[in-house]
Amino acid sequence: MPASYILTEMTWLEIKEALKTVKIAIIPLGAHEQHGPHMVESCDAVLAEEMGKRLTEKLYPEALMTPAINMGISSHHIHFPGTISLEPSTLIAILRDMIKSLKQHGIGKFLVLNSHGGNQSTLGVAADVLTRELNIEFYYAKTTASAKDVMDRRIESKLYGHSCDREVSEALYLAPHLVRTDKLAKGDILETGRWKKLRPGNPLQGFYYYEEMTLNGNLGDATKASREIGEEIVETALERLTKAVKDVL
């Protein structure tokens, strides 16, 4: 048997044997959207999957990882070429079908490991709806959000969160092929606009397109990213996620 349970790499007989100890399924969730001039559009899906593999290994033999959902809620990026966005109802329908399938095999706990902030509000709705509808335990977590203290200490940019010093650093550690290192750029941020009134921490929240905030599609300053920073963020988050999941098993 493998040292971690990755469904896409297993036969049905191997999965049958693994299910004797598996208590939770990890569902990596990403997006397919623009990531500025220096990251490929599969970024979020690949980072979710790479984090999922590492978390599944740490939780062996009590966790298995499903195929990744490689598209998400990206309507705020839709005007940048190549972006593909799901409707929230579509994402919830995909999660419902995956969970219904795996529940038939005896799994009752599910963790959606999400690497894209635009999916978070839909996951909150999914947790409510699917927990009650399917009688399962539904958890969701942002891949590295639990390492916020490390980000605050290591990331210099005040406005970060998308193809920035933080995300590029994570990619340099987890999947360096995602990064065009010869094209690293600082976010081309618009100094005025409605977006400033709708950022987290403001009295009002609301929808805005990304080009209202950044002309080249990214935030922060990717030229300040490093593999070392990415390693500290990722490994800290993995340690904390592992403990959190074990606490609910």
Side-chain angles (χ1 to χ4, degrees):
M1 292 294 290
S4 62
Y5 296 144
I6 311 297
L7 280 185
T8 57
E9 300 175 3
M10 301 172 72
T11 68
W12 75 265
L13 289 171
E14 291 170 339
I15 295 167
K16 183 179 180 180
E17 183 66 23
L19 288 171
K20 293 178 180 178
T21 58
V22 166
K23 298 178 182 178
I24 191 166
I26 297 171
I27 305 174
L29 171 62
H32 187 91
E33 62 186 28
Q34 72 85 19
H35 270 78
H38 49 250
M39 296 188 86
V40 302
E41 297 205 349
S42 63
C43 171
D44 288 343
V46 174
L47 293 181
E49 190 167 22
E50 290 300 318
M51 284 288 288
K53 288 177 181 178
R54 287 162 173 76
L55 182 59
T56 302
E57 184 176 3
K58 287 181 177 293
L59 293 168
Y60 176 86
E62 295 183 297
L64 62 75
M65 191 182 90
T66 74
I69 303 174
N70 59 8
M71 291 177 284
I73 314 304
S74 300
S75 48
H76 48 307
H77 294 286
I78 198 64
H79 296 145
F80 287 88
T83 297
I84 300 173
S85 183
L86 302 182
E87 292 293 332
S89 58
T90 304
L91 178 55
I92 292 173
I94 292 169
L95 289 167
R96 176 185 288 111
D97 288 351
M98 291 179 73
I99 290 169
K100 283 175 67 177
S101 297
L102 292 170
K103 186 183 178 186
Q104 293 185 64
H105 305 304
I107 300 174
K109 300 176 191 285
F110 298 85
L111 167 63
V112 180
L113 188 60
N114 173 41
S115 64
H116 171 52
N119 293 330
Q120 286 291 99
S121 57
T122 298
L123 290 175
V125 175
D128 181 341
V129 172
L130 299 181
T131 296
R132 294 181 291 109
E133 179 184 322
L134 301 178
N135 191 29
I136 48 90
E137 292 182 30
F138 184 106
Y139 304 98
Y140 62 101
K142 191 80 165 47
T143 48
T144 58
S146 60
K148 180 70 164 54
D149 56 325
V150 179
M151 298 175 199
D152 289 343
R153 176 165 45 83
R154 299 298 304 269
I155 304 302
E156 295 181 29
S157 301
K158 292 183 179 179
L159 179 64
Y160 68 89
H162 186 71
S163 203
C164 56
D165 348 9
R166 189 268 305 165
E167 190 170 34
V168 173
S169 293
E170 292 172 12
L172 289 173
Y173 178 60
L174 288 170
H177 65 280
L178 298 174
V179 184
R180 303 282 194 262
T181 54
D182 60 333
K183 292 182 170 61
L184 294 175
K186 186 176 181 179
D188 188 0
I189 307 301
L190 292 166
E191 293 303 319
T192 60
R194 191 176 62 100
W195 68 270
K196 280 196 167 184
K197 300 177 181 179
L198 301 175
R199 292 290 293 174
N202 284 300
L204 296 180
Q205 300 289 291
F207 179 87
Y208 56 89
Y209 290 107
Y210 235 61
E211 67 269 22
E212 296 180 55
M213 178 171 55
T214 168
L215 294 177
N216 64 350
N218 62 285
L219 306 180
D221 186 354
T223 67
K224 296 180 178 178
S226 74
R227 186 185 187 280
E228 179 192 5
I229 293 172
E231 181 175 5
E232 185 175 2
I233 293 171
V234 166
E235 293 301 329
T236 300
L238 281 171
E239 180 182 345
R240 292 170 181 175
L241 280 169
T242 301
K243 182 181 184 304
V245 176
K246 285 183 177 180
D247 286 345
V248 300
L249 293 181

